[in-house]
Amino acid sequence: MELIQNTREISAYLAATDVIDHEHPLVRATAATLSADAPDAYAYAKAAFTFVRDTIPHSYDTGDERSEMGVPPAEGWGRVTWRASDVLGQRTGICYAKSHALAALLRARGIPAALCYQKLGFVHGLVAVKLPGEERWARQDPRGNIPGIDAQFRLDREQLAYTARPECNELDYPVLFAEPHPAVLQCLREAVDRPHLWQLLPTDL
């Protein structure tokens, strides 16, 4: 699949925004820590990916929906994050939010990062990165690994959390967005808590 930039200017994929706020002190500090042991852009991008994938739990995986079954929820279960600095600070978020955090960490070090999506039973969020010397964008999935999911940072081929199945009406959206898709951002901003968020997740773009 050919990935298509929704804006021709590469600078758009480096910009700081209200969502991808890579000029925030926490984002900058996190980027500085990660870059300390990263000798080049590839090593840094992989370190940032691994950090977001492994140290920021996906909201669904934490079992916070258990409150609906009468079980006390985990601390902070109601938080819905969408701004990159909040995702890093609160260490929680769904795939969209984690993608925003990874994009911010990449852009903080001058690495173009785009947001892209898959249509599964819901719209799933990814990040595409374009490293120096590479002609093509490479999609990465910082969702977080659990049994049955093994997403890895790769440039030679994709190793995402999910593979779209056309026979199930699933697909990969080819467009690379400089900012979150409006449908994605709307659901994150409107959700009052995580159970409400699950009801608002878009199923198409």
Side-chain angles (χ1 to χ4, degrees), residues 45-62:
K46 185 175 182 179
F49 168 85
T50 303
F51 175 82
V52 173
R53 184 194 63 185
D54 295 350
T55 69
I56 301 174
H58 189 287
S59 301
Y60 188 82
D61 297 343
T62 60

Side-chain angles (χ1 to χ4, degrees), residues 75-97:
E75 182 181 355
W77 76 285
R79 295 173 298 178
V80 177
T81 55
W82 50 268
R83 184 179 287 112
S85 58
D86 289 337
V87 178
L88 295 176
Q90 299 184 37
R91 295 294 177 95
T92 186
I94 64 169
C95 59
Y96 312 138

Side-chain angles (χ1 to χ4, degrees), residues 8-196:
R8 296 181 62 182
E9 299 298 328
I10 198 69
S11 59
Y13 300 95
L14 291 167
T17 71
D18 186 41
V19 179
I20 306 174
D21 57 340
H22 65 71
E23 295 179 347
H24 189 281
L26 178 57
V27 179
R28 289 290 182 180
T30 304
T33 299
L34 293 171
S35 64
D37 295 321
D40 54 35
Y42 175 86
Y44 174 79
K46 185 175 182 179
F49 168 85
T50 303
F51 175 82
V52 173
R53 184 194 63 185
D54 295 350
T55 69
I56 301 174
H58 189 287
S59 301
Y60 188 82
D61 297 343
T62 60
D64 293 331
E65 70 279 2
R66 59 189 173 173
S67 64
E68 297 180 346
M69 299 181 287
V71 179
E75 182 181 355
W77 76 285
R79 295 173 298 178
V80 177
T81 55
W82 50 268
R83 184 179 287 112
S85 58
D86 289 337
V87 178
L88 295 176
Q90 299 184 37
R91 295 294 177 95
T92 186
I94 64 169
C95 59
Y96 312 138
K98 295 187 67 171
S99 293
H100 301 166
L102 177 55
L105 290 173
L106 293 170
R107 293 184 186 185
R109 281 294 178 266
I111 299 173
L115 302 170
C116 46
Y117 304 93
Q118 293 175 304
K119 177 184 177 182
L120 306 173
F122 52 92
V123 173
H124 178 57
L126 308 168
V127 172
V129 60
K130 191 170 187 180
L131 291 176
E134 296 289 334
E135 295 183 2
R136 299 190 306 165
W137 289 86
R139 295 192 304 171
Q140 313 295 336
D141 193 339
R143 179 216 179 275
N145 290 339
I146 55 175
I149 292 178
D150 183 28
Q152 299 293 331
F153 184 87
R154 303 186 69 118
L155 299 182
D156 57 338
R157 63 178 177 83
E158 291 185 341
Q159 190 167 338
L160 309 177
Y162 307 105
T163 300
R165 301 166 298 174
E167 67 274 15
C168 298
N169 197 33
E170 298 177 349
L171 58 87
D172 292 294
Y173 292 107
V175 179
L176 301 176
F177 296 91
E179 298 190 45
H181 190 282
V184 166
L185 193 55
Q186 180 179 354
C187 83
L188 291 172
R189 285 177 162 169
E190 290 185 355
V192 297
D193 55 28
R194 290 178 186 167
H196 187 214

